[in-house]
């Protein structure tokens, strides 16, 4: 479904991604963990082309985008946007339009990007707001919703584009602790339904429960990956052992 080959990304003189490769199969839930500054969010953003890599290849459902910024060899913006439509993104801080209602936020993409008639988009929007448990909140503005409700609107917005995969960038990090569960429950339901997802999170218990595969990143590299029980109970690398030990010491 998503295949990343030897992706590199630098910001000025800071090399953030140092040749990362990853294959996400259809219906798989890959959870990316690691310390702050390890390149997790940048890696996720390259899969949606919100950050354009300097080198490497990305395949979305078999469609290839090749990057070689030094020789200015890449696809056009129009081609990248066409492929990007197949991969939804849910951000840490919701990124909702404050002047639009929940329903208006959800139908924005289908109307503007997918060119659906508004009545069609409204039917889709209502369906996905119901799916995330917010059918009674479609007329509310973001400032009338809790953080957990806003994040669920953001998930409904991603689903309304009917993507082939969804990327989650620490979807609970901006939430009060008591609101985390309602968002993770929605994501778990999507996993149970077979949605292809890549999730960056600091919620280790959630990662163990929902992930088919755990990817541990550090220093711009994928250090180790495997099934949850392997990664959490039988880590192979010293760096992963150290990372998990620090989490245990903090009771995480």
């Amino acid at each position: 479904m998503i295949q990343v080959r030897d992706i590199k990304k630098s910001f000025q003189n800071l090399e953030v991604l140092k040749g990362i490769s990853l294959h996400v199969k259809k219906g798989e839930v890959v959870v990316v963990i690691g310390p702050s500054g390890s390149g997790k969010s940048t890696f996720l953003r390259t899969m949606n082309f919100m950050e354009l890599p300097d080198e490497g290849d990305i395949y979305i459902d078999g469609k290839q985008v090749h990057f070689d910024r030094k020789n200015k060899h890449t696809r056009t913006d129009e081609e990248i946007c066409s492929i990007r439509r197949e991969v939804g993104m849910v951000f840490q801080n919701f990124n909702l339009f404050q002047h639009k209602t929940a329903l208006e936020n959800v139908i924005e993409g289908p109307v503007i990007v997918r060119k659906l008639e508004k009545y069609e988009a409204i039917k889709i929007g209502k369906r996905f707001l119901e799916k995330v448990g917010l059918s009674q909140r479609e007329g509310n503005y973001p400032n009338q919703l809790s953080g957990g409700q806003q994040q669920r609107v953001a998930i409904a917005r991603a689903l309304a584009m009917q993507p082939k995969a969804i990327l989650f960038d620490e979807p609970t990090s901006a939430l009060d602790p008591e609101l985390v569960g309602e968002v993770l429950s929605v994501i778990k339901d999507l996993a149970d339904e077979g949605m292809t997802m890549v999730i960056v999170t600091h919620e280790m218990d959630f990662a163990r429960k929902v992930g088919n595969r755990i990817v541990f990143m550090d220093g711009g590299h994928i250090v180790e990956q495997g099934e949850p029980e392997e990664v959490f109970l039988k880590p192979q690398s010293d760096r992963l052992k150290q990372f998990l030990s620090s989490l245990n010491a903090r009771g995480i």
Side-chain angles (χ1 to χ4, degrees), residues 192-207:
D192 292 341
E193 293 168 8
M195 172 62 75
T196 305
M197 295 186 284
V198 182
I199 306 169
V200 170
T201 185
H202 289 295
E203 300 283 342
M204 296 299 123
D205 188 54
F206 172 70

Side-chain angles (χ1 to χ4, degrees), residues 8-34:
K8 298 179 181 179
K9 177 67 178 180
S10 296
F11 295 99
Q12 296 182 343
N13 295 324
L14 179 62
E15 191 177 13
V16 178
L17 302 179
K18 303 174 182 179
I20 289 185
S21 298
L22 181 71
H23 184 199
V24 182
K25 300 174 184 176
K26 183 178 180 179
E28 187 177 24
V29 180
V30 174
V31 181
V32 184
I33 64 172

Side-chain angles (χ1 to χ4, degrees), residues 3 18 24 38 74 93 103 110 155 168 178 190 224 239 251:
Q3 192 165 4
K18 303 174 182 179
V24 182
S38 59
T74 187
N93 295 313
L103 182 59
I155 294 172
F168 291 85
E178 65 268 22
L190 293 176
E224 191 169 336
R239 184 63 187 95

Side-chain angles (χ1 to χ4, degrees), residues 55-216:
E55 298 179 40
D57 298 275
I58 297 177
Y59 297 79
I60 304 294
D61 201 23
K63 297 177 182 177
Q64 180 189 18
V65 182
H66 173 69
F67 294 92
D68 185 351
R69 302 290 287 283
K70 294 178 182 177
N71 297 314
K72 298 182 179 180
H73 180 65
T74 187
R75 289 198 172 192
T76 65
D77 289 344
E78 183 177 345
E79 289 175 307
I80 287 175
C81 285
S82 174
I83 298 174
R84 182 189 286 166
R85 285 197 289 267
E86 307 300 331
V87 182
M89 186 91 177
V90 176
F91 303 90
Q92 297 179 34
N93 295 313
F94 325 137
N95 287 16
L96 300 178
F97 294 112
Q98 296 300 309
H99 64 290
K100 293 181 180 291
T101 65
L103 182 59
E104 288 170 340
N105 267 282
V106 172
I107 70 173
E108 181 83 2
V111 170
I112 301 300
V113 179
R114 290 207 177 270
K115 309 299 183 185
L116 291 184
E117 294 291 339
K118 190 172 181 179
Y119 75 92
E120 290 183 87
I122 288 173
K123 286 195 295 185
I124 291 170
K126 285 177 176 287
R127 174 157 59 94
F128 285 114
L129 281 173
E130 182 179 5
K131 185 177 185 64
V132 299
L134 292 174
S135 58
Q136 304 303 313
R137 296 286 192 169
E138 63 182 48
N140 288 99
Y141 291 88
N143 65 4
Q144 298 172 318
L145 301 171
S146 70
Q149 289 170 334
Q150 289 185 63
Q151 191 62 294
R152 284 188 280 155
V153 171
I155 294 172
R157 178 181 58 187
L159 290 169
M161 289 293 288
Q162 301 180 70
K164 294 176 179 175
I166 301 181
L167 312 176
F168 291 85
D169 187 7
E170 298 189 24
T172 62
S173 65
L175 301 179
D176 292 332
E178 65 268 22
L179 301 177
V180 169
E182 65 188 62
V183 173
L184 296 184
S185 177
V186 170
I187 298 173
K188 187 177 185 307
D189 288 344
L190 293 176
D192 292 341
E193 293 168 8
M195 172 62 75
T196 305
M197 295 186 284
V198 182
I199 306 169
V200 170
T201 185
H202 289 295
E203 300 283 342
M204 296 299 123
D205 188 54
F206 172 70
R208 291 180 68 165
K209 290 178 179 177
V210 78
N212 301 121
R213 181 159 39 116
I214 307 297
V215 171
F216 173 65

